[in-house]
């Protein structure tokens, strides 16, 4: 069993995907983390995430430990991720790992939940269950802003909103595996839902 969960940044897809994986006892893969790790590797090396050679070299050099870096949750890493993710060559290097995880989940798990932007369209187009989780950009910005403040980090709402709009545009307008709902995905709009309601709606769709 494979559950594909796609959607824009801060839509609640990660929380939902993690909860679905725990509920069904499936393995969970946050594919955004992989792109973040590639982007962060480029930044660490003093390179430009928009430089195709630097991005491709970082994708090839990626190590499992890179995914454990707490810096990956930063906005710097998110922006770098979105830039390296626009390159077809980078995506091609990372595709096999994601498909292998879905086909043969670790620890003998009977299924996998993957979240990202192109799981239902490119990574696992055969997934029997596809969700596209979205929410209005203002609501997503509010959530992200609150999350930062709760963590004690400085945050300015208007900047968070603009950063999300920029990332949405980059992720949606690229030619390589753009952010789009698969034709057979069930769309869950979480604008007016709390995490419990989103989970209940997802379970309904999957069943
Ligand atoms: O889900 P996230 O915010 O951690 O993702 C960070 C960036 O990585 C996102 O802006 C676009 C890219 N990404 C992608 O292109 N494809 C995926 N399957 C997952 C993430």
């Amino acid at each position: 069993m494979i559950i594909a969960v796609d959607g824009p940044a801060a839509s609640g897809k990660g929380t939902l995907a993690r909860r679905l994986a725990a509920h069904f006892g499936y393995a969970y893969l946050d594919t955004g983390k992989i792109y973040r790790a590639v982007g962060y590797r480029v930044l660490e090396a003093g390179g430009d995430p928009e430089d195709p050679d630097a991005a491709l070299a970082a994708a090839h050099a990626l190590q499992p430990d890179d995914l454990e870096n707490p810096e990956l949750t930063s906005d710097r890493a998110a922006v770098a991720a979105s830039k390296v993710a626009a390159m077809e060559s980078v995506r091609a290097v990372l595709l096999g790992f994601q498909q292998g995880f879905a086909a043969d989940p670790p620890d003998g798990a009977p299924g996998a939940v993957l979240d990202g932007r192109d799981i239902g369209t490119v990574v696992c187009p055969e997934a029997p269950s596809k969700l596209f989780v979205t929410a209005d950009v203002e609501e997503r910005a509010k959530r992200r802003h609150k999350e930062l403040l709760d963590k004690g980090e400085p945050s300015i709402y208007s900047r968070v909103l603009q950063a999300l709009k920029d990332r949405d545009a980059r992720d949606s307008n690229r030619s390589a595996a753009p952010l789009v709902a698969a034709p057979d995905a069930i769309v869950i709009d979480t604008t007016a839902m709390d995490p419990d309601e989103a989970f209940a709606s997802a379970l309904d769709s999957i069943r």
Side-chain angles (χ1 to χ4, degrees), residues 115-161:
D115 85 44
R117 302 290 185 289
D118 63 337
I119 309 303
T121 50
V122 175
V123 179
C124 302
E126 76 296 349
S129 203
K130 298 181 188 175
L131 305 175
F132 190 84
V133 184
T134 188
D136 289 353
V137 70
E138 287 81 9
E139 175 60 26
R140 289 187 279 125
K142 260 192 241 164
R143 291 177 192 167
R144 179 76 185 129
H145 177 58
K146 180 175 182 309
E147 193 181 287
L148 289 169
L149 294 180
D150 287 349
K151 277 200 282 185
E153 291 180 25
S155 178
I156 297 170
Y157 172 78
S158 57
R159 289 206 187 146
V160 173
L161 178 63

mmCIF file of all heavy atoms in Angstrom, residues 115-161:
data_model
loop_
_atom_site.group_PDB
_atom_site.id
_atom_site.type_symbol
_atom_site.label_atom_id
_atom_site.label_comp_id
_atom_site.label_asym_id
_atom_site.label_seq_id
_atom_site.Cartn_x
_atom_site.Cartn_y
_atom_site.Cartn_z
ATOM 1 N N ASP A 115 5.284 12.103 1.397
ATOM 2 C CA ASP A 115 4.711 13.420 1.131
ATOM 3 C C ASP A 115 5.693 14.294 0.373
ATOM 4 O O ASP A 115 6.902 14.121 0.480
ATOM 5 C CB ASP A 115 4.146 14.076 2.404
ATOM 6 C CG ASP A 115 5.159 14.834 3.244
ATOM 7 O OD1 ASP A 115 5.975 15.577 2.686
ATOM 8 O OD2 ASP A 115 5.108 14.698 4.477
ATOM 9 N N GLY A 116 5.135 15.165 -0.471
ATOM 10 C CA GLY A 116 5.991 16.026 -1.290
ATOM 11 C C GLY A 116 5.176 16.879 -2.247
ATOM 12 O O GLY A 116 4.120 17.434 -1.868
ATOM 13 N N ARG A 117 5.680 17.010 -3.469
ATOM 14 C CA ARG A 117 4.991 17.817 -4.471
ATOM 15 C C ARG A 117 4.559 16.976 -5.674
ATOM 16 O O ARG A 117 3.620 17.328 -6.378
ATOM 17 C CB ARG A 117 5.916 18.937 -5.008
ATOM 18 C CG ARG A 117 6.458 19.894 -3.956
ATOM 19 C CD ARG A 117 5.370 20.787 -3.415
ATOM 20 N NE ARG A 117 5.888 21.789 -2.489
ATOM 21 C CZ ARG A 117 6.337 21.551 -1.261
ATOM 22 N NH1 ARG A 117 6.337 20.324 -0.791
ATOM 23 N NH2 ARG A 117 6.770 22.537 -0.496
ATOM 24 N N ASP A 118 5.304 15.882 -5.914
ATOM 25 C CA ASP A 118 5.104 15.104 -7.149
ATOM 26 C C ASP A 118 4.954 13.612 -6.864
ATOM 27 O O ASP A 118 5.262 12.796 -7.715
ATOM 28 C CB ASP A 118 6.309 15.309 -8.081
ATOM 29 C CG ASP A 118 7.607 14.783 -7.459
ATOM 30 O OD1 ASP A 118 7.687 14.682 -6.212
ATOM 31 O OD2 ASP A 118 8.537 14.454 -8.222
ATOM 32 N N ILE A 119 4.523 13.258 -5.661
ATOM 33 C CA ILE A 119 4.445 11.828 -5.325
ATOM 34 C C ILE A 119 3.367 11.153 -6.177
ATOM 35 O O ILE A 119 3.600 10.102 -6.774
ATOM 36 C CB ILE A 119 4.171 11.612 -3.807
ATOM 37 C CG1 ILE A 119 5.169 12.410 -2.958
ATOM 38 C CG2 ILE A 119 4.227 10.125 -3.466
ATOM 39 C CD1 ILE A 119 6.624 12.119 -3.222
ATOM 40 N N GLY A 120 2.193 11.769 -6.238
ATOM 41 C CA GLY A 120 1.095 11.170 -7.003
ATOM 42 C C GLY A 120 1.249 11.293 -8.505
ATOM 43 O O GLY A 120 0.621 10.557 -9.265
ATOM 44 N N THR A 121 2.082 12.227 -8.952
ATOM 45 C CA THR A 121 2.212 12.440 -10.403
ATOM 46 C C THR A 121 3.442 11.768 -10.996
ATOM 47 O O THR A 121 3.406 11.294 -12.123
ATOM 48 C CB THR A 121 2.287 13.956 -10.717
ATOM 49 O OG1 THR A 121 3.293 14.537 -9.869
ATOM 50 C CG2 THR A 121 0.961 14.652 -10.476
ATOM 51 N N VAL A 122 4.563 11.740 -10.255
ATOM 52 C CA VAL A 122 5.816 11.260 -10.828
ATOM 53 C C VAL A 122 6.438 10.095 -10.038
ATOM 54 O O VAL A 122 6.815 9.080 -10.614
ATOM 55 C CB VAL A 122 6.859 12.415 -10.924
ATOM 56 C CG1 VAL A 122 8.206 11.910 -11.411
ATOM 57 C CG2 VAL A 122 6.347 13.525 -11.826
ATOM 58 N N VAL A 123 6.537 10.253 -8.727
ATOM 59 C CA VAL A 123 7.260 9.237 -7.932
ATOM 60 C C VAL A 123 6.448 7.945 -7.862
ATOM 61 O O VAL A 123 6.966 6.860 -8.139
ATOM 62 C CB VAL A 123 7.579 9.764 -6.507
ATOM 63 C CG1 VAL A 123 8.296 8.705 -5.678
ATOM 64 C CG2 VAL A 123 8.430 11.035 -6.588
ATOM 65 N N CYS A 124 5.181 8.050 -7.523
ATOM 66 C CA CYS A 124 4.329 6.853 -7.374
ATOM 67 C C CYS A 124 2.991 7.063 -8.081
ATOM 68 O O CYS A 124 1.934 7.092 -7.428
ATOM 69 C CB CYS A 124 4.057 6.569 -5.902
ATOM 70 S SG CYS A 124 5.519 6.334 -4.897
ATOM 71 N N PRO A 125 3.002 7.226 -9.404
ATOM 72 C CA PRO A 125 1.720 7.483 -10.081
ATOM 73 C C PRO A 125 0.743 6.320 -9.935
ATOM 74 O O PRO A 125 -0.454 6.483 -10.155
ATOM 75 C CB PRO A 125 2.126 7.699 -11.552
ATOM 76 C CG PRO A 125 3.508 7.170 -11.681
ATOM 77 C CD PRO A 125 4.138 7.198 -10.324
ATOM 78 N N GLU A 126 1.275 5.138 -9.552
ATOM 79 C CA GLU A 126 0.400 3.964 -9.398
ATOM 80 C C GLU A 126 -0.167 3.857 -7.974
ATOM 81 O O GLU A 126 -0.897 2.912 -7.684
ATOM 82 C CB GLU A 126 1.169 2.689 -9.782
ATOM 83 C CG GLU A 126 2.193 2.175 -8.757
ATOM 84 C CD GLU A 126 3.379 3.126 -8.482
ATOM 85 O OE1 GLU A 126 3.553 4.118 -9.236
ATOM 86 O OE2 GLU A 126 4.111 2.896 -7.500
ATOM 87 N N ALA A 127 0.159 4.781 -7.093
ATOM 88 C CA ALA A 127 -0.314 4.700 -5.699
ATOM 89 C C ALA A 127 -1.844 4.601 -5.676
ATOM 90 O O ALA A 127 -2.526 5.397 -6.324
ATOM 91 C CB ALA A 127 0.137 5.930 -4.910
ATOM 92 N N PRO A 128 -2.387 3.644 -4.933
ATOM 93 C CA PRO A 128 -3.842 3.492 -4.914
ATOM 94 C C PRO A 128 -4.541 4.619 -4.155
ATOM 95 O O PRO A 128 -5.724 4.850 -4.333
ATOM 96 C CB PRO A 128 -4.066 2.155 -4.209
ATOM 97 C CG PRO A 128 -2.775 1.779 -3.590
ATOM 98 C CD PRO A 128 -1.681 2.603 -4.174
ATOM 99 N N SER A 129 -3.792 5.328 -3.335
ATOM 100 C CA SER A 129 -4.406 6.378 -2.542
ATOM 101 C C SER A 129 -3.598 7.660 -2.696
ATOM 102 O O SER A 129 -2.414 7.692 -2.354
ATOM 103 C CB SER A 129 -4.406 5.907 -1.085
ATOM 104 O OG SER A 129 -5.396 6.562 -0.391
ATOM 105 N N LYS A 130 -4.246 8.690 -3.226
ATOM 106 C CA LYS A 130 -3.549 9.963 -3.447
ATOM 107 C C LYS A 130 -4.346 11.106 -2.840
ATOM 108 O O LYS A 130 -5.532 11.254 -3.140
ATOM 109 C CB LYS A 130 -3.405 10.243 -4.947
ATOM 110 C CG LYS A 130 -2.583 9.223 -5.676
ATOM 111 C CD LYS A 130 -2.482 9.595 -7.144
ATOM 112 C CE LYS A 130 -1.821 8.474 -7.912
ATOM 113 N NZ LYS A 130 -1.792 8.727 -9.353
ATOM 114 N N LEU A 131 -3.658 11.895 -2.041
ATOM 115 C CA LEU A 131 -4.296 13.059 -1.441
ATOM 116 C C LEU A 131 -3.543 14.304 -1.893
ATOM 117 O O LEU A 131 -2.310 14.281 -2.010
ATOM 118 C CB LEU A 131 -4.244 12.976 0.088
ATOM 119 C CG LEU A 131 -4.820 11.709 0.728
ATOM 120 C CD1 LEU A 131 -4.575 11.721 2.239
ATOM 121 C CD2 LEU A 131 -6.316 11.588 0.442
ATOM 122 N N PHE A 132 -4.281 15.369 -2.139
ATOM 123 C CA PHE A 132 -3.660 16.661 -2.417
ATOM 124 C C PHE A 132 -4.165 17.615 -1.345
ATOM 125 O O PHE A 132 -5.346 17.961 -1.304
ATOM 126 C CB PHE A 132 -4.025 17.152 -3.817
ATOM 127 C CG PHE A 132 -3.223 18.350 -4.238
ATOM 128 C CD1 PHE A 132 -1.956 18.211 -4.792
ATOM 129 C CD2 PHE A 132 -3.734 19.635 -4.071
ATOM 130 C CE1 PHE A 132 -1.201 19.328 -5.164
ATOM 131 C CE2 PHE A 132 -2.987 20.755 -4.448
ATOM 132 C CZ PHE A 132 -1.718 20.590 -4.998
ATOM 133 N N VAL A 133 -3.257 17.985 -0.443
ATOM 134 C CA VAL A 133 -3.635 18.789 0.723
ATOM 135 C C VAL A 133 -3.273 20.245 0.454
ATOM 136 O O VAL A 133 -2.109 20.559 0.148
ATOM 137 C CB VAL A 133 -2.876 18.286 1.976
ATOM 138 C CG1 VAL A 133 -3.326 19.053 3.211
ATOM 139 C CG2 VAL A 133 -3.114 16.796 2.170
ATOM 140 N N THR A 134 -4.245 21.098 0.558
ATOM 141 C CA THR A 134 -3.972 22.497 0.270
ATOM 142 C C THR A 134 -4.711 23.402 1.272
ATOM 143 O O THR A 134 -5.472 22.930 2.108
ATOM 144 C CB THR A 134 -4.373 22.828 -1.197
ATOM 145 O OG1 THR A 134 -3.924 24.137 -1.505
ATOM 146 C CG2 THR A 134 -5.862 22.700 -1.444
ATOM 147 N N ALA A 135 -4.432 24.690 1.206
ATOM 148 C CA ALA A 135 -5.123 25.694 2.037
ATOM 149 C C ALA A 135 -4.796 27.057 1.431
ATOM 150 O O ALA A 135 -3.776 27.201 0.737
ATOM 151 C CB ALA A 135 -4.643 25.632 3.486
ATOM 152 N N ASP A 136 -5.645 28.040 1.700
ATOM 153 C CA ASP A 136 -5.380 29.402 1.198
ATOM 154 C C ASP A 136 -4.006 29.851 1.673
ATOM 155 O O ASP A 136 -3.606 29.555 2.806
ATOM 156 C CB ASP A 136 -6.407 30.390 1.769
ATOM 157 C CG ASP A 136 -7.775 30.166 1.166
ATOM 158 O OD1 ASP A 136 -7.880 29.360 0.231
ATOM 159 O OD2 ASP A 136 -8.736 30.780 1.671
ATOM 160 N N VAL A 137 -3.334 30.619 0.817
ATOM 161 C CA VAL A 137 -1.964 31.010 1.152
ATOM 162 C C VAL A 137 -1.919 31.875 2.416
ATOM 163 O O VAL A 137 -0.981 31.771 3.213
ATOM 164 C CB VAL A 137 -1.254 31.656 -0.064
ATOM 165 C CG1 VAL A 137 -1.839 33.022 -0.393
ATOM 166 C CG2 VAL A 137 0.234 31.747 0.165
ATOM 167 N N GLU A 138 -2.953 32.713 2.640
ATOM 168 C CA GLU A 138 -2.957 33.559 3.849
ATOM 169 C C GLU A 138 -3.049 32.678 5.111
ATOM 170 O O GLU A 138 -2.404 32.957 6.114
ATOM 171 C CB GLU A 138 -4.132 34.551 3.842
ATOM 172 C CG GLU A 138 -3.989 35.703 2.872
ATOM 173 C CD GLU A 138 -4.377 35.319 1.447
ATOM 174 O OE1 GLU A 138 -4.912 34.206 1.254
ATOM 175 O OE2 GLU A 138 -4.139 36.132 0.533
ATOM 176 N N GLU A 139 -3.848 31.640 5.033
ATOM 177 C CA GLU A 139 -4.003 30.736 6.180
ATOM 178 C C GLU A 139 -2.687 29.972 6.412
ATOM 179 O O GLU A 139 -2.234 29.802 7.548
ATOM 180 C CB GLU A 139 -5.165 29.759 5.907
ATOM 181 C CG GLU A 139 -5.368 28.694 6.966
ATOM 182 C CD GLU A 139 -5.672 29.258 8.353
ATOM 183 O OE1 GLU A 139 -6.205 30.370 8.437
ATOM 184 O OE2 GLU A 139 -5.345 28.561 9.351
ATOM 185 N N ARG A 140 -2.060 29.553 5.337
ATOM 186 C CA ARG A 140 -0.782 28.837 5.483
ATOM 187 C C ARG A 140 0.276 29.753 6.092
ATOM 188 O O ARG A 140 1.079 29.339 6.928
ATOM 189 C CB ARG A 140 -0.336 28.290 4.121
ATOM 190 C CG ARG A 140 -1.219 27.134 3.655
ATOM 191 C CD ARG A 140 -0.677 26.486 2.407
ATOM 192 N NE ARG A 140 -0.985 27.179 1.184
ATOM 193 C CZ ARG A 140 -0.107 27.592 0.274
ATOM 194 N NH1 ARG A 140 1.189 27.389 0.464
ATOM 195 N NH2 ARG A 140 -0.484 28.193 -0.816
ATOM 196 N N ALA A 141 0.256 31.020 5.660
ATOM 197 C CA ALA A 141 1.228 31.981 6.204
ATOM 198 C C ALA A 141 0.973 32.212 7.690
ATOM 199 O O ALA A 141 1.912 32.296 8.485
ATOM 200 C CB ALA A 141 1.153 33.293 5.429
ATOM 201 N N LYS A 142 -0.303 32.277 8.068
ATOM 202 C CA LYS A 142 -0.644 32.472 9.486
ATOM 203 C C LYS A 142 -0.103 31.324 10.317
ATOM 204 O O LYS A 142 0.464 31.518 11.396
ATOM 205 C CB LYS A 142 -2.182 32.510 9.645
ATOM 206 C CG LYS A 142 -2.753 33.889 9.763
ATOM 207 C CD LYS A 142 -4.208 33.803 10.219
ATOM 208 C CE LYS A 142 -5.109 34.404 9.162
ATOM 209 N NZ LYS A 142 -6.519 34.071 9.303
ATOM 210 N N ARG A 143 -0.287 30.107 9.818
ATOM 211 C CA ARG A 143 0.169 28.921 10.550
ATOM 212 C C ARG A 143 1.692 28.917 10.690
ATOM 213 O O ARG A 143 2.230 28.628 11.748
ATOM 214 C CB ARG A 143 -0.248 27.645 9.812
ATOM 215 C CG ARG A 143 -1.734 27.400 9.843
ATOM 216 C CD ARG A 143 -2.057 26.163 9.023
ATOM 217 N NE ARG A 143 -3.483 26.044 8.779
ATOM 218 C CZ ARG A 143 -4.018 25.211 7.896
ATOM 219 N NH1 ARG A 143 -3.251 24.417 7.183
ATOM 220 N NH2 ARG A 143 -5.324 25.161 7.730
ATOM 221 N N ARG A 144 2.362 29.227 9.588
ATOM 222 C CA ARG A 144 3.833 29.214 9.607
ATOM 223 C C ARG A 144 4.366 30.291 10.550
ATOM 224 O O ARG A 144 5.293 30.083 11.316
ATOM 225 C CB ARG A 144 4.341 29.424 8.169
ATOM 226 C CG ARG A 144 5.818 29.463 8.029
ATOM 227 C CD ARG A 144 6.449 28.066 8.110
ATOM 228 N NE ARG A 144 7.899 28.147 8.093
ATOM 229 C CZ ARG A 144 8.694 27.555 8.964
ATOM 230 N NH1 ARG A 144 8.207 26.799 9.922
ATOM 231 N NH2 ARG A 144 9.997 27.690 8.876
ATOM 232 N N HIS A 145 3.730 31.470 10.482
ATOM 233 C CA HIS A 145 4.118 32.603 11.334
ATOM 234 C C HIS A 145 3.962 32.212 12.813
ATOM 235 O O HIS A 145 4.873 32.428 13.623
ATOM 236 C CB HIS A 145 3.212 33.786 10.973
ATOM 237 C CG HIS A 145 3.414 35.020 11.788
ATOM 238 N ND1 HIS A 145 4.620 35.675 11.868
ATOM 239 C CD2 HIS A 145 2.537 35.733 12.551
ATOM 240 C CE1 HIS A 145 4.485 36.726 12.661
ATOM 241 N NE2 HIS A 145 3.255 36.780 13.077
ATOM 242 N N LYS A 146 2.846 31.589 13.138
ATOM 243 C CA LYS A 146 2.587 31.178 14.530
ATOM 244 C C LYS A 146 3.606 30.123 14.974
ATOM 245 O O LYS A 146 4.131 30.182 16.093
ATOM 246 C CB LYS A 146 1.160 30.643 14.652
ATOM 247 C CG LYS A 146 0.807 30.204 16.065
ATOM 248 C CD LYS A 146 -0.639 29.785 16.190
ATOM 249 C CE LYS A 146 -1.007 29.391 17.612
ATOM 250 N NZ LYS A 146 -0.129 28.419 18.237
ATOM 251 N N GLU A 147 3.899 29.202 14.074
ATOM 252 C CA GLU A 147 4.858 28.140 14.391
ATOM 253 C C GLU A 147 6.222 28.738 14.747
ATOM 254 O O GLU A 147 6.858 28.333 15.715
ATOM 255 C CB GLU A 147 4.970 27.259 13.148
ATOM 256 C CG GLU A 147 5.658 25.935 13.283
ATOM 257 C CD GLU A 147 5.677 25.245 11.913
ATOM 258 O OE1 GLU A 147 4.616 24.773 11.470
ATOM 259 O OE2 GLU A 147 6.747 25.210 11.274
ATOM 260 N N LEU A 148 6.636 29.739 13.971
ATOM 261 C CA LEU A 148 7.930 30.384 14.222
ATOM 262 C C LEU A 148 7.919 31.113 15.559
ATOM 263 O O LEU A 148 8.853 30.998 16.353
ATOM 264 C CB LEU A 148 8.276 31.354 13.091
ATOM 265 C CG LEU A 148 8.637 30.706 11.754
ATOM 266 C CD1 LEU A 148 8.687 31.741 10.639
ATOM 267 C CD2 LEU A 148 9.978 29.976 11.851
ATOM 268 N N LEU A 149 6.827 31.868 15.810
ATOM 269 C CA LEU A 149 6.733 32.608 17.070
ATOM 270 C C LEU A 149 6.711 31.639 18.256
ATOM 271 O O LEU A 149 7.367 31.884 19.271
ATOM 272 C CB LEU A 149 5.487 33.497 17.086
ATOM 273 C CG LEU A 149 5.462 34.644 16.072
ATOM 274 C CD1 LEU A 149 4.154 35.438 16.209
ATOM 275 C CD2 LEU A 149 6.663 35.582 16.219
ATOM 276 N N ASP A 150 5.971 30.538 18.105
ATOM 277 C CA ASP A 150 5.907 29.539 19.187
ATOM 278 C C ASP A 150 7.280 28.956 19.488
ATOM 279 O O ASP A 150 7.562 28.560 20.614
ATOM 280 C CB ASP A 150 4.933 28.402 18.828
ATOM 281 C CG ASP A 150 3.476 28.862 18.901
ATOM 282 O OD1 ASP A 150 3.230 29.965 19.417
ATOM 283 O OD2 ASP A 150 2.593 28.117 18.422
ATOM 284 N N LYS A 151 8.120 28.899 18.448
ATOM 285 C CA LYS A 151 9.479 28.359 18.655
ATOM 286 C C LYS A 151 10.428 29.424 19.198
ATOM 287 O O LYS A 151 11.616 29.183 19.388
ATOM 288 C CB LYS A 151 10.035 27.840 17.318
ATOM 289 C CG LYS A 151 9.565 26.435 16.984
ATOM 290 C CD LYS A 151 10.473 25.758 15.963
ATOM 291 C CE LYS A 151 10.216 26.236 14.558
ATOM 292 N NZ LYS A 151 10.989 25.539 13.525
ATOM 293 N N GLY A 152 9.887 30.634 19.365
ATOM 294 C CA GLY A 152 10.708 31.723 19.884
ATOM 295 C C GLY A 152 11.577 32.367 18.809
ATOM 296 O O GLY A 152 12.514 33.103 19.111
ATOM 297 N N GLU A 153 11.227 32.108 17.535
ATOM 298 C CA GLU A 153 12.014 32.706 16.450
ATOM 299 C C GLU A 153 11.338 33.985 15.975
ATOM 300 O O GLU A 153 10.112 34.085 15.993
ATOM 301 C CB GLU A 153 12.143 31.718 15.284
ATOM 302 C CG GLU A 153 13.014 30.531 15.647
ATOM 303 C CD GLU A 153 13.162 29.539 14.498
ATOM 304 O OE1 GLU A 153 13.012 29.935 13.341
ATOM 305 O OE2 GLU A 153 13.422 28.364 14.801
ATOM 306 N N PRO A 154 12.130 34.966 15.541
ATOM 307 C CA PRO A 154 11.514 36.205 15.054
ATOM 308 C C PRO A 154 10.753 35.931 13.754
ATOM 309 O O PRO A 154 11.190 35.112 12.945
ATOM 310 C CB PRO A 154 12.710 37.119 14.789
ATOM 311 C CG PRO A 154 13.881 36.208 14.634
ATOM 312 C CD PRO A 154 13.584 34.967 15.404
ATOM 313 N N SER A 155 9.615 36.585 13.578
ATOM 314 C CA SER A 155 8.855 36.364 12.351
ATOM 315 C C SER A 155 8.004 37.579 12.050
ATOM 316 O O SER A 155 7.420 38.185 12.948
ATOM 317 C CB SER A 155 7.962 35.133 12.514
ATOM 318 O OG SER A 155 7.190 34.939 11.352
ATOM 319 N N ILE A 156 7.929 37.939 10.788
ATOM 320 C CA ILE A 156 7.074 39.053 10.351
ATOM 321 C C ILE A 156 6.083 38.459 9.354
ATOM 322 O O ILE A 156 6.496 37.865 8.336
ATOM 323 C CB ILE A 156 7.917 40.161 9.686
ATOM 324 C CG1 ILE A 156 8.894 40.731 10.712
ATOM 325 C CG2 ILE A 156 7.037 41.256 9.091
ATOM 326 C CD1 ILE A 156 9.947 41.652 10.127
ATOM 327 N N TYR A 157 4.784 38.586 9.674
ATOM 328 C CA TYR A 157 3.758 37.916 8.870
ATOM 329 C C TYR A 157 3.879 38.236 7.375
ATOM 330 O O TYR A 157 3.830 37.331 6.541
ATOM 331 C CB TYR A 157 2.359 38.274 9.381
ATOM 332 C CG TYR A 157 1.272 37.769 8.475
ATOM 333 C CD1 TYR A 157 0.890 36.424 8.506
ATOM 334 C CD2 TYR A 157 0.662 38.611 7.542
ATOM 335 C CE1 TYR A 157 -0.074 35.938 7.634
ATOM 336 C CE2 TYR A 157 -0.312 38.132 6.682
ATOM 337 C CZ TYR A 157 -0.673 36.798 6.735
ATOM 338 O OH TYR A 157 -1.616 36.318 5.867
ATOM 339 N N SER A 158 4.054 39.516 7.044
ATOM 340 C CA SER A 158 4.050 39.879 5.622
ATOM 341 C C SER A 158 5.223 39.221 4.876
ATOM 342 O O SER A 158 5.103 38.856 3.705
ATOM 343 C CB SER A 158 4.114 41.398 5.458
ATOM 344 O OG SER A 158 5.265 41.883 6.115
ATOM 345 N N ARG A 159 6.322 39.016 5.576
ATOM 346 C CA ARG A 159 7.478 38.368 4.937
ATOM 347 C C ARG A 159 7.222 36.877 4.754
ATOM 348 O O ARG A 159 7.602 36.289 3.744
ATOM 349 C CB ARG A 159 8.735 38.562 5.778
ATOM 350 C CG ARG A 159 9.205 39.982 5.724
ATOM 351 C CD ARG A 159 10.697 40.068 5.971
ATOM 352 N NE ARG A 159 11.058 41.463 6.062
ATOM 353 C CZ ARG A 159 12.002 41.948 6.836
ATOM 354 N NH1 ARG A 159 12.726 41.128 7.574
ATOM 355 N NH2 ARG A 159 12.256 43.230 6.859
ATOM 356 N N VAL A 160 6.593 36.282 5.768
ATOM 357 C CA VAL A 160 6.273 34.850 5.682
ATOM 358 C C VAL A 160 5.333 34.621 4.491
ATOM 359 O O VAL A 160 5.516 33.696 3.695
ATOM 360 C CB VAL A 160 5.612 34.360 6.993
ATOM 361 C CG1 VAL A 160 5.127 32.920 6.869
ATOM 362 C CG2 VAL A 160 6.602 34.470 8.146
ATOM 363 N N LEU A 161 4.331 35.515 4.373
ATOM 364 C CA LEU A 161 3.355 35.399 3.283
ATOM 365 C C LEU A 161 4.051 35.509 1.925
ATOM 366 O O LEU A 161 3.825 34.699 1.020
ATOM 367 C CB LEU A 161 2.289 36.492 3.433
ATOM 368 C CG LEU A 161 1.221 36.546 2.351
ATOM 369 C CD1 LEU A 161 0.392 35.269 2.329
ATOM 370 C CD2 LEU A 161 0.301 37.759 2.543
#
